[in-house]
Amino acid sequence: MRYPNGKTYKKGEIKKRKTPSDISISSANRGMDLENDINESNDYYREKNIALIYKRPTPINIVKVDYSKGARITDAYFEKQSTTDYNGVYKGKYIDFEAKNTKSKTSFPLANITSHQIDHLKRVNEQGGIAFFIIGFETLNEIYLLDSSFVIYFYENGDRKSIPYEVFQKEGVLIKQGYHPRLYYIDAVEEKYFSK
Amino acid sequence: MRYPNGKTYKKGEIKKRKTPSDISISSANRGMDLENDINESNDYYREKNIALIYKRPTPINIVKVDYSKGARITDAYFEKQSTTDYNGVYKGKYIDFEAKNTKSKTSFPLANITSHQIDHLKRVNEQGGIAFFIIGFETLNEIYLLDSSFVIYFYENGDRKSIPYEVFQKEGVLIKQGYHPRLYYIDAVEEKYFSK
């Protein structure tokens, strides 16, 4: 299997897993609220002037507005996100990412990723932006940053249905969890994209 | 009056105005739909892989959702934008801007700019992003890019009510108008931020 970085993937080549002591606080017992954790982390990074990342609002298609009530929306529906959930700026660079959870221990299913999102990620890469996924393996209590090139690769090649867990271990960056911020995901961005 | 770039502003120091021949198509007779023109230009820049800029959706506060109708929103209202209207990526750099029209010939009023937006622009600058305003002087059929530092300056100093037209002529970049894209605003971004 050929990877975006040109390396060939072989089973057994897995990097040593980080030990539980690398994770500050275990959140195994309280379930994983990835969206909430990322929003909290973004608040932290914003307050500390470390990064400026916002969640994009879910696009809403407005059908009817009642102006007699001061522009009250009385009929509308949610639309599927055609881009990603988050974007912003870190050290002047454009940052763009999607966050998803899975209960699987063995792979991340790509069923919920749309072709519009893949198209968007490609365009971000073409523009020299930084595009990645934050994937939470709930059952394992592990959260990884994985560069978008791998997501694009697995979406477009092979069975197209999932990314094996081993790919996250080998090519992803394990995101340290803590209390405040909940996710040190900018550390992972720094390690992956800025420490060359 | 002290400017963000440290220069002192004097009346009469105005640069020669660009001539009407610099403007490909006159839109004087069809009014100015700045938002539509920017969206159309963004589509063009996206198709041509020149830049990837999106309009942020107007934030909506959802009060009630009817799940019996398949998640139909039955009560919601518009919220004030606390960031800016547009963001994205050009040549790897984070781009963030607000677009506004004015019918005034002499100044751009700051009444519709919120302190949250000023705060946001400062944070973008601190993160090394590129932040500016696109201001349309409808009556003059002129559209300028003006760096956010001037908007922040006039918001926080002096009478805080408006930015004189002369500042746009002297410190802004006149955006060329055309058919497709309607606004060559990335040319203005290139001139202002990338041609040093």
Side-chain angles (χ1 to χ4, degrees), chain A residues 2-195:
Chain A
R2 288 228 135 254
Y3 267 40
N5 57 13
K7 283 190 279 180
T8 304
Y9 165 63
K10 285 199 217 102
K11 280 223 169 183
E13 260 189 0
I14 308 307
K15 267 186 210 157
K16 194 181 161 290
R17 284 267 298 283
K18 292 193 181 174
T19 60
S21 66
D22 292 327
I23 300 162
S24 308
I25 290 176
S26 166
S27 64
N29 296 326
R30 54 190 182 78
M32 198 180 262
D33 187 345
L34 194 58
E35 180 179 324
N36 189 62
D37 289 352
I38 290 172
N39 291 342
E40 189 277 340
S41 304
N42 287 342
D43 289 346
Y44 172 88
Y45 287 133
R46 191 159 55 240
E47 282 160 22
K48 299 284 183 193
N49 275 327
I50 292 166
L52 188 63
I53 317 273
Y54 285 97
K55 185 172 193 307
R56 288 193 174 96
T58 306
I60 289 168
N61 198 310
I62 296 165
V63 180
K64 207 160 35 175
V65 178
D66 186 348
Y67 289 98
S68 73
K69 295 180 186 170
R72 203 80 181 189
I73 299 156
T74 56
D75 190 13
Y77 57 89
F78 298 100
E79 283 193 328
K80 233 178 155 61
Q81 188 71 269
S82 64
T83 59
T84 49
D85 281 345
Y86 300 89
N87 78 349
V89 54
Y90 173 62
K91 291 187 173 174
K93 291 280 276 181
Y94 178 77
I95 304 284
D96 196 298
F97 65 96
E98 180 72 17
K100 295 268 187 222
N101 258 352
T102 179
K103 289 191 195 304
S104 166
K105 291 179 187 177
T106 55
S107 68
F108 169 68
L110 293 168
N112 289 323
I113 312 298
T114 69
S115 61
H116 283 114
Q117 289 178 315
I118 295 294
D119 185 52
H120 173 75
L121 293 167
K122 284 182 180 177
R123 289 179 190 276
V124 172
N125 287 324
E126 277 164 17
Q127 282 304 318
I130 291 172
F132 55 87
F133 272 57
I134 291 180
I135 302 296
F137 287 91
E138 274 191 58
T139 318
L140 303 169
N141 190 29
E142 290 179 351
I143 300 167
Y144 288 91
L145 177 153
L146 187 69
D147 186 66
S148 60
S149 58
F150 294 96
V151 182
I152 295 165
Y153 175 82
F154 279 93
Y155 191 87
E156 296 186 336
N157 295 281
D159 69 357
R160 301 183 189 199
K161 298 232 173 56
S162 65
I163 305 176
Y165 172 66
E166 288 75 17
V167 173
F168 291 88
Q169 289 185 294
K170 188 168 179 297
E171 304 289 350
V173 181
L174 186 66
I175 294 172
K176 191 183 156 197
Q177 300 182 47
Y179 177 66
H180 194 54
R182 267 290 295 127
L183 305 178
Y184 290 81
Y185 81 85
I186 290 293
D187 289 4
V189 170
E190 181 68 33
E191 181 183 330
K192 176 72 186 171
Y193 301 104
F194 289 86
S195 62

